[in-house]
Amino acid sequence: MTSRLLMPRRTANAGRHARPEHTEAVEGSTCPTRILDWRHPRITSLTSRVEETRPASPLDALRTAHGIIAREIRPVYSVDDRRRASRTLALGRGSCSQRMAVLEAVARASGVPTRVRGLLVDGSFWYPRFPRLKPLVPEQVLLAWPEFHVGGTWVPVGELFTDLHTDTGDGFANKGGETLFDAVARTGLRWDAPVSCTAQDDTCDLSAQVRVDLGHFTSRDALFTHHGPTLC
């Protein structure tokens, strides 16, 4: 999660569900980047642990990696979205965005191409998580939402566990101890179409929170380079 306190007037005033700024086809990549430094021994070691479980498919491998990261990297608030994935592993703690970067790094190390979708999300979405800090939450937050190329299609991180979800009826309210990263293992999360946890509960549909869809980028590095994260 990156706070956007200063931004061009055109972006700041854009309406919800604006057309993507970055519209050309983006194929993704398995190449290491500064953030996704998957050749680092810490990342390759984690990748080896995943492979030792003998996953039945690349999708199962991603799910296994997600479970390890969820258990072993403690969720904390951080504004350093450009932190290297290997550094997050070393610290054993990271923000939602930093933990997702670790998952992307493992995917690339396993030969699964990744890319990110850039979203400017309404700052009020984070009010329930930081009820005492509402005045400090910016109007818009830049979110790098990972996608993985498996089975010939792009699978967003919010749909990695779609066929395994259990119907809890709780949805996702972005409060308490559960983060976006953790929630995907329990419920579907999408930013562009209605997805309901139950017939009565549509809190998994997060599309109303999107102010601007920035489109797809080859990596989170490219997204942050293009839009320049402004941190609170």
Side-chain angles (χ1 to χ4, degrees):
M1 183 182 78
T2 296
S3 305
R4 301 270 297 189
L5 294 182
L6 301 173
M7 61 192 70
R9 182 177 300 273
R10 175 177 58 83
T11 300
N13 293 332
R16 298 179 188 271
H17 310 293
R19 295 182 61 185
E21 295 182 1
H22 198 72
T23 56
E24 63 267 25
V26 175
E27 298 299 326
S29 175
T30 58
C31 295
T33 68
R34 183 186 180 281
I35 299 174
L36 308 178
D37 58 340
W38 64 257
R39 289 191 175 127
H40 192 283
R42 292 192 188 97
I43 302 295
T44 57
S45 176
L46 175 54
T47 304
S48 295
R49 290 174 59 191
V50 173
E51 293 173 348
E52 288 169 2
T53 68
R54 297 186 178 182
S57 67
L59 185 59
D60 284 335
L62 290 172
R63 291 167 172 172
T64 298
H66 180 279
I68 294 173
I69 294 166
R71 291 191 302 270
E72 299 184 4
I73 301 180
R74 180 167 55 91
V76 296
Y77 178 70
S78 172
V79 294
D80 183 10
D81 278 350
R82 282 175 163 157
R83 179 198 286 172
R84 297 176 188 269
S86 61
R87 177 62 176 164
T88 298
L89 268 178
L91 293 173
R93 63 179 184 273
S95 68
C96 186
S97 179
Q98 291 161 349
R99 296 162 89 201
M100 287 184 182
V102 175
L103 182 60
E104 291 175 69
V106 172
R108 292 193 175 204
S110 303
V112 175
T114 76
R115 67 184 185 184
V116 297
R117 182 181 176 191
L119 300 167
L120 283 179
V121 179
D122 198 303
S124 63
F125 179 58
W126 274 269
Y127 286 174
R129 185 168 295 282
F130 307 109
R132 298 181 180 180
L133 300 176
K134 287 183 182 180
L136 301 180
V137 177
E139 292 185 2
Q140 299 180 112
V141 172
L142 177 60
L143 181 66
W145 194 243
E147 297 183 359
F148 308 88
H149 198 260
V150 284
T153 189
W154 284 103
V155 180
V157 66
E159 299 173 42
L160 279 182
F161 294 84
T162 298
D163 58 329
L164 301 180
H165 288 151
T166 57
D167 189 353
T168 65
D170 294 332
F172 179 70
N174 200 18
K175 65 181 179 180
E178 187 179 55
T179 68
L180 281 169
F181 181 87
D182 299 309
V184 300
R186 179 180 61 80
T187 187
L189 298 177
R190 296 183 65 181
W191 300 95
D192 53 3
V195 176
S196 297
C197 294
T198 69
Q200 297 79 29
D201 191 340
D202 64 353
T203 52
C204 294
D205 171 20
L206 304 177
S207 59
Q209 306 296 334
V210 178
R211 286 197 174 188
V212 183
D213 184 345
L214 301 173
H216 291 95
F217 295 79
T218 304
S219 68
R220 60 182 52 237
D221 302 66
L223 170 64
F224 298 145
T225 296
H226 190 81
H227 287 279
T230 303
L231 307 180
C232 66

